[in-house]
Amino acid sequence: KNQVEQSPQSLIILEGKNCTLQCNYTVSPFSNLRWYKQDTGRGPVSLTIMTFSENTKSNGRYTATLDADTKQSSLHITASQLSDSASYICVVSAFAGNNRKLIWGLGTSLAVNP
Amino acid sequence: SQTIHQWPATLVQPVGSPLSLECTVEGTSNPNLYWYRQAAGRGLQLLFYSVGIGQISSEVPQNLSASRPQDRQFILSSKKLLLSDSGFYLCAWSVHPIEDTEAFFGQGTRLTVV
């Protein structure tokens, strides 16, 4: 089982609608959690990065939340646009022994239709 | 401003042929540099990272190698490609270790070994 689980695996919404993507993680403890947007065939682009002490972080129409107690994060997209069609990846920076490591989720594939 | 260049964008190579993928960063000095591979249905996998010229760390044993001949240049190589080397290769850079700070990714190279 992946240590960073994302749901849903894929999602289709109409332009202008809102949506929320989920991320549950089992790694413990961690230093930060981040969300990336990856267009098809392109490299990931950072949307938000949150430390352990942060609960919410916004970047334009993107708002990420983090609940360290339940080990859950969500990414809310407001007033979706066609350009929001992409894969959204949750990444947790976790302690692994004496090292730190990025644990990548498999992403949620979002399609925004006109 | 900082930019990262990665090329080529796509590559089709026969089994047993050599490989050289190049990544360069502009607008910053002494970046941390990373090579990732993204396979279908799997999260990003860290292959190599470098904290300075000539300093390469490998995360997983494989048919690939990396080199950093200049401060802002990172090269991924193979002497003889295998079918299993097919995938989407991403170069990334960060000011501090990638686990702690923002990371910036190149546009990726889609490698198909035939």
Side-chain angles (χ1 to χ4, degrees):
Chain A
K1 183 178 179 180
N2 204 25
Q3 294 174 297
V4 177
E5 294 276 348
Q6 291 189 243
S7 62
Q9 187 174 3
S10 61
L11 181 63
I12 302 173
I13 62 174
L14 292 176
E15 185 179 11
K17 298 296 185 182
N18 304 334
C19 68
T20 300
L21 314 180
Q22 299 291 341
C23 174
N24 296 336
Y25 56 94
T26 58
V27 291
S28 176
F30 75 101
S31 57
N32 62 69
L33 183 146
R34 52 192 84 179
W35 284 91
Y36 284 92
K37 177 187 178 188
Q38 185 175 22
D39 292 321
T40 301
R42 312 283 287 214
V45 175
S46 178
L47 295 176
T48 66
I49 179 169
M50 288 184 290
T51 64
F52 180 76
S53 60
E54 295 177 292
N55 300 119
T56 302
K57 200 154 194 178
S58 292
N59 177 4
R61 294 181 296 102
Y62 302 101
T63 299
T65 65
L66 174 59
D67 186 334
D69 292 332
T70 61
K71 296 187 178 181
Q72 296 180 325
S73 177
S74 66
L75 181 69
H76 186 74
I77 304 175
T78 303
S80 61
Q81 300 176 358
L82 298 179
S83 59
D84 291 332
S85 296
S87 179
Y88 291 84
I89 307 173
C90 175
V91 188
V92 177
S93 178
F95 289 104
N98 293 327
N99 299 316
R100 285 168 292 192
K101 189 176 179 180
L102 291 186
I103 310 295
W104 293 75
L106 298 183
T108 290
S109 178
L110 174 66
V112 180
N113 291 340
Chain B
S1 63
Q2 301 89 0
T3 56
I4 179 169
H5 301 281
Q6 187 181 340
W7 69 92
T10 60
L11 193 59
V12 180
Q13 292 283 97
V15 168
S17 64
L19 171 74
S20 181
L21 302 181
E22 189 162 344
C23 172
T24 60
V25 180
E26 296 178 357
T28 187
S29 296
N30 197 32
N32 292 288
L33 296 172
Y34 305 85
W35 278 111
Y36 279 87
R37 177 166 57 203
Q38 187 175 30
R42 302 181 65 179
L44 268 70
Q45 179 186 36
L46 179 62
L47 302 176
F48 300 95
Y49 67 93
S50 172
V51 299
I53 296 174
Q55 301 178 62
I56 308 295
S57 296
S58 173
E59 284 293 299
V60 293
Q62 59 206 311
N63 185 42
L64 302 167
S65 62
S67 62
R68 185 170 177 173
Q70 300 181 43
D71 181 43
R72 290 170 288 179
Q73 184 184 30
F74 204 23
I75 298 172
L76 183 68
S77 304
S78 174
K79 292 182 179 178
K80 290 185 178 182
L81 285 169
L82 306 172
L83 288 174
S84 57
D85 291 325
S86 294
F88 191 51
Y89 289 83
L90 290 158
C91 180
W93 76 273
S94 62
V95 174
H96 301 295
I98 199 170
E99 297 83 7
D100 297 332
T101 61
E102 197 73 78
F104 303 92
F105 287 81
Q107 292 305 296
T109 296
R110 173 70 61 190
L111 171 66
T112 303
V113 182
V114 296

